[in-house]
């Protein structure tokens, strides 16, 4: 006869020899009470002396079910081999074989289950059985489970039978079995009743079974089935099986794991009742001392873990207070403070290899308040001691996983001094848990990073080598395969690899800890890391981890790309090549290079399994045939224009996709809904717009390294712009207006071309002007205005937009302190239009005759005053309105660029001495170059004394009013002015154009601008008479009557919707953040030895002005300085930065950079780096 296999399931060599000596009988087993020297088999396959535990009386001797004869054994062994191979032609053949096998096994089921050589057959038979066959077998076992569960071989069969039959209970609940006539025992044939019968059969012996080395496993499986918990998950499996349990498998068919086994199952209420009854009966007769003795019992402990887990999950808080519960019998003191009996027990179990497992369950599953008491009373003050002990540290890990932010922060500070000890002992599980929980709770990991650097070393290369054990290869003295096999079983390397991977997920110092180490490796060690079975996972994670990693990837990916072929043909390193795809997101030029390497070495790759896998994962066959589809994006994906065309092609025939009203067919007009056309065209255009915006998002992460991501194009191209000279751009864009329409495809091609050659203001590098990108609310509001397509000149044409404009401007004016009953404002075409309109209102209010007779009819020579740093629009307004440029007198400024009030007062006196008439002063809140704020309060005092109109041009700096702190500092006295200009499309990011002229009294606006137009303005008074030109209405709703415009777009809607979207507090945070970023930028410039700061530090607004000057020394020639500045500005464009330049004195032009509310600190850091690098190459 063939030799029987000598190892099975939880069998141990010494136990096998002992039973062989015991008359060769397999039907009897030696119990702990029969011999005080008996050995007990534990779940972790250690042998523990049974004399330490109090014996519990068992059910008596095991029955003898008989033995299979040799012929039967041979038949069933052959059947077992056939089931294991599972090489049946089809399910029908398999079913026929199983039916015959069941027929042969009829009446011999118990013998087979107890047979050492054939019990495997019974397990495989159970795995392949139908529901009816399972229930039939279940009935054969019924009445014998008490003894079968204690048998070393039959217990495995019971466990498998329970596991496979569990889903039948849920199936019967959803589809109940219909009773057939004459079937009196139908209820017993249900899986539900069969399980209930088992629970009844085992009653009275549960106390003994829980300490039986075989039955305890079966009992655990039964409890899990009755509870409805998943049978297949990491936690349950560790409780149900020993580490060396033999797994019965079927060739070409994995072990069945239905969804019912991997998820929570539906079980009847009777199962819950049976489970409650069994749990109570197990602990009812045991006092605290007895239960605590079982805690350290190697066989009973896992079952106690399960019972405690079920108790907490099912009853929670109520069981924590129930004196008869298992928890309260273990921990009777409430609270379990230090010095109590419960505290002594818990402290002892913390360091017990077996008892600590139950402590883990207590910490993990106890209700929140109970855990808090346990932690504060028994764990918190011992953190430093617990972490030093390998056993107790696992309980500490479970506690860390449940701590709140404050407790976790305290624990981290206590653990940091122990990091070096943990590293020396290669026990990094606690550190890994601490890293992960700090990330989840938002705890600063800076102190942890410092401790790790002290433990692993200050130099990046040394600490990475020490952590991942790189460079310790001994493969020179052993075969490579043997060395890899040893590596794969080195737990310390696996643990440190997992620690490094968790650190990579935490942006900041921990992530830099690993990345800096990788970057510091030379190519040989980098290649070794890629091929190391543990370290390779760290390298892969570094290419795909979260956070701003573009700088790291830009450096590491070109180095790895040169190793592509060698790595691709290695079984381990080939996975790194697969990770190259995520590592080259935003680095299309490197992705293209890697693809070229792979294609050039196709023959080499196809010779190895790893190489073929890489070729397949990179979809290189697609790349070869359709290379243009693989460049810069996922192979096989479509461009925006292709998606748009496909969307058009899928429209129903005859639909008017252009959005027109209809077309002629046979002399008749066929109409189409315009909504269909709008939806189709807008959807197609959106396919082009979103990638345009996303390109800026992708590029933002690269800005900190001083160079945006390069893109393919007709010239040097980044996400910011593909820059060309005007003549070249005319050729590229070819803006022709055809006689015949270009249709759908042509329209989308034109849109794509416009986007390609336009500046992407969404890009972080767009910093030359006093505006930047808008946002989602802005885009949506602009679209709404286009759909409405109305004129906000009279109320009847745009009622909703009219009341929105009046409400929005009134609220905006109130922020500046203009709160009178007639305060408010109007929207205008831009800041220049606001200033021009203010001059008209001032002139016509102070000198009403000029409205009809003009300034030439007056003998007065009217004079306007503005700052020397003020906007040129005041002078342009003087030209337009007939004053002439000479009527604008510029007021000197102080060294900060602020208007000098004493100088203003002197100029006013001078004008009067020259028989001229001063009437208008323009103060600036945020000058164009330096961003200076004129002293409004001091200027307003002069204007009130001299009876001059005071206008504030706050087009740029006005939004500082949203921040009370900034407003108090920069806009003090704004409530004393006559009019204010503000442009929300600048600092606030509302779509261009969005500008307002605010006033203390809108009646002055009306009187200055109204003209009779009976065809347009139909406002009537209560008597039905039309308003005369001189008569003031109570409220003006025809808004064109307040302005110089007749055609008026509803731009106030954009501010209204954006303001509603962000809220006042949202704008406050954005603007304050922008000012903080500008201050940080100025400090970077001031600290750089090659840059000369022109602005104050911090700057008054969002402009930062500075020279590049090597060594901090400017050239004596202002012309030379200007030349250097202009060249730097030009060279920054291909790097993805666009800045402007200006001058205020004879030193020449300097760089003027404008920060926006979206500008990141990394962006200004990268810009400083880029300016210095470019300057060094030019000078």
């Amino acid at each position: 006869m063939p030799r029987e296999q000598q190892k099975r399931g939880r069998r141990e060599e010494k136990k096998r020899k002992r039973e062989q000596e015991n008359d060769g009988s397999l039907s009897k087993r030696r119990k702990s009470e029969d011999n005080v020297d008996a050995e007990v088999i534990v779940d972790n396959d250690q042998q523990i002396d049974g004399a330490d535990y109090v014996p519990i009386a068992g059910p008596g001797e095991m029955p003898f079910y008989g033995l299979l004869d040799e012929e039967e054994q041979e038949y069933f062994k052959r059947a077992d081999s056939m089931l294991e191979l599972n090489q049946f032609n089809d399910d029908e053949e398999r079913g026929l074989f199983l039916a015959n096998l069941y027929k042969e096994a009829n009446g011999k089921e118990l013998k087979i289950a107890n047979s050492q050589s054939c019990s495997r057959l019974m397990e495989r038979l159970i795995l392949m059985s139908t529901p009816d066959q399972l229930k039939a077998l279940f009935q054969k076992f019924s009445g014998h489970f008490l003894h079968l569960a204690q048998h070393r071989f039959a217990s495995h069969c019971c466990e498998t039978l329970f596991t496979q039959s569990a889903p039948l209970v849920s199936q019967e609940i959803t589809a109940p079995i219909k009773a057939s006539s004459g079937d009196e025992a139908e209820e017993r044939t249900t899986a539900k009743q069969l399980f209930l019968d088992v629970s009844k059969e085992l009653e009275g012996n549960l106390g003994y079974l829980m300490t039986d080395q075989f039955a305890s496993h079966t009992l655990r499986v039964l409890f899990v089935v009755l509870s409805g918990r998943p049978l297949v998950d990491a936690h349950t499996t560790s409780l149900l099986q020993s580490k060396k349990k033999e797994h019965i498998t079927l060739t070409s068919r994995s072990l069945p794991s239905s969804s019912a086994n991997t998820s929570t199952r539906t079980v009847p209420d009777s199962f819950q009742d049976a489970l409650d009854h069994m749990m109570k009966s197990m602990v009812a007769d045991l006092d605290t001392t007895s239960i605590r003795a079982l805690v350290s019992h190697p066989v009973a402990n896992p079952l106690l873990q399960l019972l405690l887990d079920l108790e907490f999950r099912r009853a929670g808080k109520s069981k924590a207070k129930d004196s008869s519960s298992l928890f309260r019998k273990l921990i009777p003191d409430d609270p379990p403070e230090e010095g109590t009996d419960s505290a002594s027990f818990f402290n002892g179990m913390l360091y017990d290899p077996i008892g600590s497992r139950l402590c883990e369950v207590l910490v993990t599953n106890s209700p929140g308040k109970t855990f808090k008491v346990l932690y504060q009373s028994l764990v918190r003050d011992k953190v430093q001691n617990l972490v030093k002990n390998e056993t107790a540290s696992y309980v500490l890990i479970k506690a860390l996983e449940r701590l709140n932010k404050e407790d976790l922060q305290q624990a981290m500070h206590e653990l940091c001094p122990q990091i070096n000890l943990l590293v020396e002992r290669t026990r990094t599980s606690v550190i890994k848990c601490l890293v992960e929980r700090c990330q989840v709770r938002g705890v600063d990991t800076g102190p942890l990073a410092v401790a790790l650097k002290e433990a692993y070393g200050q130099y990046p290369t040394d600490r990475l080598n020490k952590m991942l054990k790189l460079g310790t290869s001994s493969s020179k003295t052993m075969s490579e395969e043997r060395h890899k096999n040893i590596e794969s079983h080195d737990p310390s390397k696996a643990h440190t690899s997992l620690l490094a991977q968790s650190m990579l997920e935490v942006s900041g110092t921990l992530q830099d800890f690993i990345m800096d180490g990788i970057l510091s490796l030379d190519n040989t060690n980098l290649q070794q890391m890629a091929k190391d079975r543990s370290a390779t996972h760290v390298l892969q994670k570094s290419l795909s981890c979260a956070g701003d990693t573009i700088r790291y990837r830009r450096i590491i990916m070109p180095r790895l790309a040169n190793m592509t072929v060698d790595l691709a043909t290695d079984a381990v390193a080939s996975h790194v090549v697969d990770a190259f795809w995520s590592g080259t997101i935003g680095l299309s030029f490197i992705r293209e290079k890697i693809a070229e390497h792979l294609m050039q070495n196709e023959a080499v790759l196809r010779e190895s399994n790893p190489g073929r896998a890489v070729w397949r994962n990179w979809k290189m066959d697609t790349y070869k045939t359709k290379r243009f589809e693989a460049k810069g994006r996922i192979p096989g994906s479509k461009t925006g224009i292709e998606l748009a065309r496909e969307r058009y092609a899928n429209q129903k025939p005859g639909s008017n996709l252009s959005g027109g009203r209809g077309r002629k067919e046979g002399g008749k007009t066929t109409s189409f809904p315009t909504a269909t056309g709008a939806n189709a065209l807008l959807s197609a255009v959106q396919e082009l717009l979103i990638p345009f915006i996303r390109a800026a998002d992708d590029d933002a992460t690269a800005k900190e390294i001083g160079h945006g991501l390069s893109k393919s194009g007709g010239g040097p191209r980044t996400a910011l712009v593909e820059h060309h000279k005007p003549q070249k751009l005319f050729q590229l864009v070819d803006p022709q207006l055809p006689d015949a329409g270009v249709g759908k495809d042509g329209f989308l091609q034109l849109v794509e071309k416009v986007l390609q050659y336009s500046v992407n203001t969404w890009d972080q590098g767009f910093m030359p002007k006093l505006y930047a990108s808008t946002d989602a609310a802005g885009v949506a509001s602009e679209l709404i205005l286009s759909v409405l397509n109305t004129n906000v000149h009279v109320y009847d044409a745009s009622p909703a937009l009219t009341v929105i404009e009046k409400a929005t401007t009134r609220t905006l004016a109130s922020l500046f302190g203009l709160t009178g009953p007639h305060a408010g404002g109007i929207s205008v075409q831009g800041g220049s239009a606001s200033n021009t309109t203010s001059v008209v209102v001032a002139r016509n209010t102070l000198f009403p005759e000029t409205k009809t007779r003009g300034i030439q009819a007056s003998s007065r020579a009217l004079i306007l005053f503005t700052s020397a740093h003020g906007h040129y629009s005041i002078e342009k307004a003087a030209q337009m309105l007939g004053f002439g440029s000479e009527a604008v007198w510029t007021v000197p400024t102080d060294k900060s660029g602020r208007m000098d009030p004493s100088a203003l007062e002197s100029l006013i006196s001078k004008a009067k001495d020259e028989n001229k008439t001063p009437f208008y002063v323009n103060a600036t809140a945020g000058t164009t170059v330096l961003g200076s704020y004129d002293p409004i309060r001091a200027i307003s005092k002069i204007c009130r004394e001299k009876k001059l109109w005071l206008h504030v041009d706050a087009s740029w700096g006005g939004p500082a009013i949203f921040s009370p702190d900034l407003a108090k500092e920069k806009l003090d006295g704004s409530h004393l002015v006559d009019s204010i200009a503000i442009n929300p499309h600048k600092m606030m990011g509302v779509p261009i154009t969005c500008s307002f002229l605010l006033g203390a009294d809108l009646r002055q606006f009306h009187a200055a601008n109204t003209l009779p137009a009976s065809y347009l303005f139909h406002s009537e008074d209560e008597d039905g008479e039309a308003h005369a030109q001189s008569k003031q209405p109570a409220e003006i709703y025809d808004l064109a009557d307040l302005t110089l415009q007749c055609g008026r777009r509803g731009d106030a809607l954009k501010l209204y919707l954006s303001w509603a979207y962000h809220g006042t507090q949202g704008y406050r945070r954005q603007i304050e953040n922008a000012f903080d970023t500008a201050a940080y930028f100025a400090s970077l410039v001031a600290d750089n030895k090659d840059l000369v700061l022109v602005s104050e530090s911090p700057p008054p607004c969002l402009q930062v002005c500075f020279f590049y000057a090597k060594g901090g020394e400017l050239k004596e020639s202002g012309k030379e300085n200007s030349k250097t500045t202009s060249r730097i500005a030009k060279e920054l464009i291909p790097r993805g930065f666009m800045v402007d330049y200006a001058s205020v004195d004879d030193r020449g032009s300097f760089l003027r950079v404008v920060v926006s509310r979206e500008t990141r600190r990394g962006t200004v850091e990268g810009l400083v780096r880029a300016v210095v690098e470019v300057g060094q190459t030019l000078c």
Side-chain angles (χ1 to χ4, degrees), residues 847-1046:
F847 308 105
E849 71 277 6
T850 60
K851 180 177 180 181
T852 55
R853 298 171 56 194
I855 60 173
Q856 65 275 12
S858 173
S859 59
R860 300 183 181 89
L862 301 178
I863 301 298
L864 305 85
F865 301 92
T866 189
S867 161
H869 286 188
H871 196 263
Y872 73 96
S873 59
I874 299 298
E875 185 175 350
K876 181 169 286 189
Q879 295 176 359
M880 294 168 56
L881 300 176
F883 299 113
S885 298
E886 292 182 355
V888 180
W889 289 21
T890 57
V891 182
T893 63
D894 59 19
K895 62 179 181 180
S896 299
R898 293 156 47 95
M899 181 187 288
D900 183 354
S902 60
L904 171 64
E905 194 166 17
S906 298
L907 287 173
I908 293 173
S909 299
K910 179 183 177 183
K912 289 183 176 181
D913 291 342
E914 296 178 2
N915 294 322
K916 300 182 185 297
T917 305
F919 81 102
Y920 176 96
V921 175
N922 172 64
T924 306
T927 58
T928 307
V929 178
L930 296 178
S932 305
Y933 285 78
D934 290 342
I936 298 174
R937 183 178 291 275
I939 296 172
S940 68
K941 181 180 180 181
I942 297 171
C943 291
R944 285 180 181 273
E945 290 176 355
K946 306 296 183 181
K947 298 187 179 344
L948 275 61
W949 183 281
L950 175 56
H951 170 74
V952 175
D953 180 6
S955 299
W956 169 233
I961 199 69
F962 280 86
S963 168
D965 294 337
L966 293 174
K968 183 177 180 181
E969 174 190 353
K970 302 179 183 301
L971 293 164
D972 178 46
S974 61
H975 63 290
L976 302 172
V977 308
D978 296 294
S979 58
I980 302 174
I982 182 172
N983 289 0
H985 70 243
K986 292 186 175 181
M987 192 178 293
M988 297 172 67
V990 179
I992 296 175
T993 307
C994 185
S995 303
F996 297 94
L997 177 63
L998 309 177
D1001 190 346
L1002 288 187
R1003 292 176 300 177
Q1004 296 173 329
F1005 285 38
H1006 182 264
N1009 290 296
T1010 185
L1011 288 171
S1014 59
Y1015 55 83
L1016 185 62
F1017 303 121
H1018 305 306
S1019 298
E1020 295 181 350
D1021 59 17
E1022 293 179 357
D1023 298 328
E1025 297 177 355
H1027 285 300
Q1029 179 180 342
S1030 61
K1031 187 171 183 179
Q1032 287 284 351
E1035 191 72 46
I1036 300 98
Y1037 288 98
D1038 293 340
L1039 300 184
D1041 216 11
L1042 299 173
T1043 71
L1044 302 176
Q1045 305 165 250
C1046 180

Side-chain angles (χ1 to χ4, degrees), residues 8-11 113 119 123 126 148-149 151-162 214 217-218 242 245-246 248:
R8 174 90 163 45
R10 294 177 287 271
R11 191 182 309 116
S119 61
E123 288 194 64
I126 293 171
L148 293 175
H151 195 277
R152 65 191 320 177
F153 306 131
S155 62
H156 291 287
C157 299
C158 294
E159 294 171 29
T160 306
L161 181 61
F162 290 165
F214 302 123
H217 287 273
T218 308
S242 68
K245 175 178 170 61
E246 180 181 355
I248 303 300

Side-chain angles (χ1 to χ4, degrees), residues 587-606:
L587 303 172
S588 56
F589 61 99
I590 300 179
R591 182 177 291 180
E592 179 75 12
K593 179 181 178 181
I594 295 171
E596 290 294 334
H597 280 315
L598 294 175
M599 190 172 69
Q600 293 169 6
N601 294 273
E602 178 180 359
V604 176
L605 295 175
R606 291 190 181 278

Side-chain angles (χ1 to χ4, degrees), residues 124-316:
R124 290 196 176 91
L125 189 60
I126 293 171
L127 290 175
M128 303 182 72
S129 294
T130 64
D132 290 337
Q133 290 170 338
L134 284 174
K135 287 189 283 188
L137 183 60
F138 212 124
Q139 287 181 292
K140 294 284 187 179
F141 281 16
S142 292
H144 303 281
F145 279 111
L146 177 59
H147 301 292
L148 293 175
Q150 299 175 68
H151 195 277
R152 65 191 320 177
F153 306 131
S155 62
H156 291 287
C157 299
C158 294
E159 294 171 29
T160 306
L161 181 61
F162 290 165
T163 302
Q164 293 302 113
S165 301
L168 303 182
V169 178
S170 301
Q171 295 173 13
E172 290 173 354
I173 292 176
T174 56
I177 299 175
K178 296 181 180 179
S180 58
S181 60
D183 190 356
E184 299 177 355
E186 181 66 34
E187 186 178 359
R188 284 185 60 82
T189 63
T190 63
K192 163 189 161 184
Q193 189 59 45
L194 291 172
F195 275 110
L196 292 176
D197 289 346
V198 175
S199 65
K200 292 179 181 178
E201 180 181 344
L202 299 181
E203 282 183 13
N205 295 285
L206 295 174
Y208 168 75
L209 296 178
M210 71 186 298
T211 59
D212 184 273
Q213 59 186 14
F214 302 123
S216 64
H217 287 273
T218 308
L219 207 55
R220 287 176 236 161
V221 175
L222 179 61
F223 277 20
V224 171
V225 170
L226 293 176
S227 69
R229 286 182 53 180
L231 289 162
V232 181
D233 66 20
H235 178 68
T236 305
T237 302
S238 67
L239 284 175
L240 300 186
Q241 300 176 357
S242 68
K243 294 181 180 179
K244 293 185 178 180
K245 175 178 170 61
E246 180 181 355
H247 295 280
I248 303 300
T249 58
L250 306 174
T251 305
S252 304
R253 176 179 173 178
S254 59
L255 192 66
S257 177
S258 66
S259 59
N261 285 347
T262 57
S263 58
T264 302
R265 293 169 291 104
T266 302
V267 295
D269 294 338
S270 56
F271 273 28
Q272 304 293 339
D273 296 338
L275 181 60
D276 287 338
H277 182 72
M278 294 177 74
M279 292 173 62
K280 289 179 181 178
S281 65
M282 290 185 75
V283 299
D285 298 330
L286 299 176
D287 57 13
T288 296
T289 303
S290 301
I291 291 180
R292 287 180 177 178
L294 291 174
V295 169
S296 56
H297 193 290
V299 176
N301 179 276
L303 186 55
L304 287 178
Q305 293 180 48
L306 179 61
L307 292 176
L308 195 58
D309 188 0
L310 291 173
E311 186 174 276
F312 281 136
R313 290 176 184 268
R314 290 158 53 79

